[in-house]
Amino acid sequence: MRILIVGGGTGGTIVANNLARRLAGEVRAGKVRLTLISDTDRHMYQPGLLYVAFGQMTPDQLYRDEASLLDPSIDFHVDPVTDFHLGRNQVRTRSGKTHEYDLLVIATGARIVPEEVPGMSEGAETFYTEEGAVRLHKRLMEFKGGTVAMVVSIPHKCPVAPVEAIFMLHDFFKARGIRDKVKLQYKYPVNHVHATANVARWAKPEFDKAGIEYETLFNVKEVDPVNKVVYSEEGTECKYDLLIAIPPHRGMEMVERNDLAQGGWIPTDRFKLTMTGHDNVYVIGDATNIPVSKTGSAAHFEAEVVAENIASMIKTGTPVREYDGRVYCFIEAGYDRATYNAFDYVNLPELKPPSKAIHWFKVAYNKMYWTTVRGLL
Amino acid sequence: MGQCKVIDARNTFCPGPLMELITYMKQAKVGETLELLSTDQGSATDVPEWIKKVGHEMISSEKVGEVWHIKVRKAK
Ligand SMILES: Cc1cc2nc3c(=O)[nH]c(=O)nc-3n(C[C@H](O)[C@H](O)[C@H](O)COP(=O)(O)OP(=O)(O)OC[C@H]3O[C@@H](n4cnc5c(N)ncnc54)[C@H](O)[C@@H]3O)c2cc1C
């Protein structure tokens, strides 16, 4: 049995390590082979980018060598996949190699496409890449006063990141003693301050308390970097001195090129996590079209379900459970307070008032992440 | 009539049915019809409000059992 995992990020690494643990005997006996292919030898802890933007983490703290995170029994290749031949149970890589599989797990994540919004790349800063987070931090340190606007494009991963970032901006400028010289403007695409009703209900009074101004039903259409104006699809506009954008996302270009998906989001059964029409192909994490938030947390829970099911099918011929839509996300409510958001397909999140304890738990999780992806936690 | 693309956002709280609709609307071609399935009460008012503001076209909205079926056409 050849199990091939494509993508060495949060989901792919957890699935690989979880399978290595569950199928250790079968791997040792040569009955199962586990292969992971990624396009980089490094693994980035993406949530750390938010802290880089505020000078609370340095970029080098975001990375580990992927090989050091993987169980030694996993055959790891750094060689981007260029083509999926699902009909023939094969993938091809850039080096020209063909990998055959019996079971395939796709965990290739998502990419940002700021170029889809005219002027966004030139006019806006973003903390969704390492380079962007470093540059945004520099700009924030140099900022003397004026309007800081944040615009949110969709779809995007980590739906709570914009809320966290705006609260952290409030505390950042307070700490620098210039909060009274800064106008914070938050622009959000749906008609609440967050797409999840209970997060919106919690955040709105917190915005009011912090003096954060907001406009809803604002879908970014265009940025004019010369005159420093951002326009919405809905016909409104906002002048800014510093613009922070959560850029629109797409699935991987290679996924689109191989006609696996529209917009790059692979059609996936929301319970079984198999690709529509392909029983031996699983899809997890940001790469799916499942209507849950694109988060490391969802990728983690999905990876566990897939690994448990694959292991059980090999051992007993039957899968054991379905993915229930579970997501658990911390939400920073500033520099020293946080709350969290836990829900599944049927249960709404209920937000607790932010506390220092939850903030410190997120800070601890930022380190514990490495233990989680190794499969130890 | 062309084919109508169905967006199944039943039983979702994050990123939310309207967010799903906006995502797919961006990919759709002008003139295309999309049908949103949602179990979220809010969709019945949220979706028409956005459609009106942005200038697309509401076709229909009806509740079948626990599920809202909301049809919209991309107008620009
Ligand atoms: C600023 C920011 C803050 C965030 N905060 C949080 C948070 O607080 N909580 C949370 O749960 N999530 C958060 N996230 C989201 C989280 O990081 C992602 O949702 C998560 O990493 C998704 O996991 P994944 O395995 O689907 O994709 P990824 O972790 O992105 O992994 C995809 C992997 O596939 C590889 N790959 C891509 N193309 C190919 C190819 N052609 N061949 C081989 N390999 C390929 C990539 O190199 C990468 O290793 C945040 C993200 C950002 C940007």
Side-chain angles (χ1 to χ4, degrees):
Chain A
M1 171 73 71
R2 295 155 303 179
I3 304 172
L4 176 63
I5 300 149
V6 180
T10 302
T13 306
I14 294 176
V15 118
N17 282 326
N18 200 310
L19 282 170
R21 194 181 74 236
R22 287 174 192 278
L23 296 172
E26 287 77 0
V27 172
R28 231 177 293 121
K31 286 192 198 135
V32 169
R33 211 171 82 201
L34 289 173
T35 306
L36 174 72
I37 307 180
S38 200
D39 60 355
T40 163
D41 61 356
R42 295 200 302 167
H43 186 123
M44 185 207 260
Y45 177 56
Q46 299 171 31
L49 289 167
L50 179 68
Y51 300 89
V52 171
F54 289 97
Q56 297 177 349
M57 271 174 102
T58 52
D60 55 330
Q61 292 175 296
L62 303 177
Y63 292 100
R64 294 279 189 283
D65 285 334
E66 176 66 11
S68 75
L69 301 172
L70 294 173
D71 188 278
S73 69
I74 299 161
D75 183 23
F76 175 49
H77 300 259
V78 180
D79 190 5
V81 168
T82 51
D83 297 288
F84 288 99
H85 301 292
L86 302 182
R88 280 185 264 141
N89 289 357
Q90 290 175 341
V91 306
R92 268 179 74 83
T93 58
R94 187 180 296 162
S95 71
K97 264 202 211 110
T98 298
H99 293 259
E100 314 237 337
Y101 61 82
D102 299 297
L103 288 177
L104 174 67
V105 182
I106 305 177
T108 43
R111 70 197 155 114
I112 59 166
V113 283
E115 61 276 13
E116 285 189 359
V117 180
M120 184 177 274
S121 303
E122 305 81 22
E125 303 294 338
T126 183
F127 56 92
Y128 268 55
T129 62
E130 177 190 336
E131 189 201 356
V134 170
R135 205 176 54 201
L136 173 58
H137 179 236
K138 189 158 177 284
R139 293 230 23 214
L140 288 174
M141 291 301 285
E142 290 164 358
F143 199 72
K144 302 225 162 44
T147 299
V148 179
M150 181 180 296
V151 292
V152 181
S153 318
I154 48 178
H156 69 92
K157 62 183 156 188
C158 196
V160 296
V163 182
E164 297 187 282
I166 201 88
F167 285 133
M168 286 174 77
L169 281 168
H170 169 73
D171 278 2
F172 174 85
F173 289 121
K174 238 174 40 186
R176 281 196 48 213
I178 59 165
R179 178 63 183 93
D180 56 337
K181 297 193 181 68
V182 180
K183 201 171 180 180
L184 288 178
Q185 292 260 4
Y186 175 91
K187 309 278 176 191
Y188 202 68
V190 300
N191 33 3
H192 310 278
V193 297
H194 195 268
T196 310
N198 283 4
V199 177
R201 212 166 290 137
W202 163 78
K204 204 169 159 183
E206 297 275 337
F207 279 12
D208 291 334
K209 249 190 281 171
I212 296 162
E213 296 175 22
Y214 43 82
E215 178 180 346
T216 55
L217 290 179
F218 188 104
N219 284 278
V220 200
K221 184 180 178 195
E222 196 175 343
V223 178
D224 174 352
V226 179
N227 298 304
K228 297 194 170 175
V229 187
V230 52
Y231 297 93
S232 78
E233 297 276 355
E234 290 80 9
T236 56
E237 58 183 71
C238 170
K239 268 197 83 63
Y240 64 82
D241 296 296
L242 172 60
L243 181 65
I244 302 173
I246 311 291
H249 286 58
R250 274 178 176 263
M252 287 308 170
E253 184 265 333
M254 146 290 287
V255 167
E256 285 189 72
R257 191 160 29 79
N258 278 268
D259 279 339
L260 299 189
Q262 194 188 4
W265 314 120
I266 304 174
T268 308
D269 184 288
R270 61 163 88 172
F271 301 109
K272 291 199 207 99
L273 303 172
T274 45
M275 180 175 171
T276 307
H278 299 273
D279 287 344
N280 67 337
V281 180
Y282 294 85
V283 194
I284 55 172
D286 295 351
T288 75
N289 75 338
I290 303 179
V292 296
S293 49
K294 297 196 182 299
T295 56
S297 165
H300 179 169
F301 291 126
E302 290 166 7
E304 285 183 346
V305 171
V306 165
E308 249 179 84
N309 284 345
I310 291 177
S312 171
M313 279 190 310
I314 288 172
K315 288 173 199 270
T316 71
T318 326
V320 280
R321 64 181 174 111
E322 294 190 323
Y323 176 58
D324 59 2
R326 188 135 69 105
V327 177
Y328 183 107
C329 280
F330 291 107
I331 310 176
E332 294 281 22
Y335 267 15
D336 62 355
R337 295 180 320 139
T339 179
Y340 65 89
N341 189 14
F343 56 94
D344 56 35
Y345 288 141
V346 288
N347 298 297
L348 265 169
E350 279 181 37
L351 272 72
K352 304 262 180 310
S355 70
K356 288 196 175 171
I358 303 175
H359 163 72
W360 286 113
F361 201 76
K362 177 154 190 185
V363 171
Y365 184 82
N366 290 341
K367 301 227 159 38
M368 265 154 38
Y369 173 78
W370 303 113
T371 322
T372 313
V373 286
R374 281 192 181 97
L376 302 174
L377 202 70
Chain B
M1 278 291 282
Q3 247 198 341
C4 171
K5 185 170 166 49
V6 177
I7 303 155
D8 186 354
R10 285 175 298 169
N11 297 329
T12 65
F13 300 118
C14 203
L18 176 56
M19 201 88 131
E20 285 291 311
L21 178 68
I22 298 173
T23 300
Y24 284 91
M25 203 66 147
K26 271 174 58 175
Q27 294 169 16
K29 293 190 194 74
V30 173
E32 229 175 293
T33 303
L34 302 180
E35 179 176 1
L36 178 73
L37 307 186
S38 170
T39 42
D40 176 24
Q41 272 300 327
S43 299
T45 47
D46 288 0
V47 173
E49 188 185 338
W50 177 66
I51 291 291
K52 185 162 172 252
K53 186 157 187 201
V54 78
H56 295 310
E57 192 186 332
M58 256 319 274
I59 298 177
S60 60
S61 171
E62 62 174 319
K63 197 175 180 189
V64 184
E66 289 305 304
V67 183
W68 286 97
H69 291 244
I70 304 172
K71 278 195 185 165
V72 299
R73 187 178 292 129
K74 180 160 169 151
K76 57 174 203 182

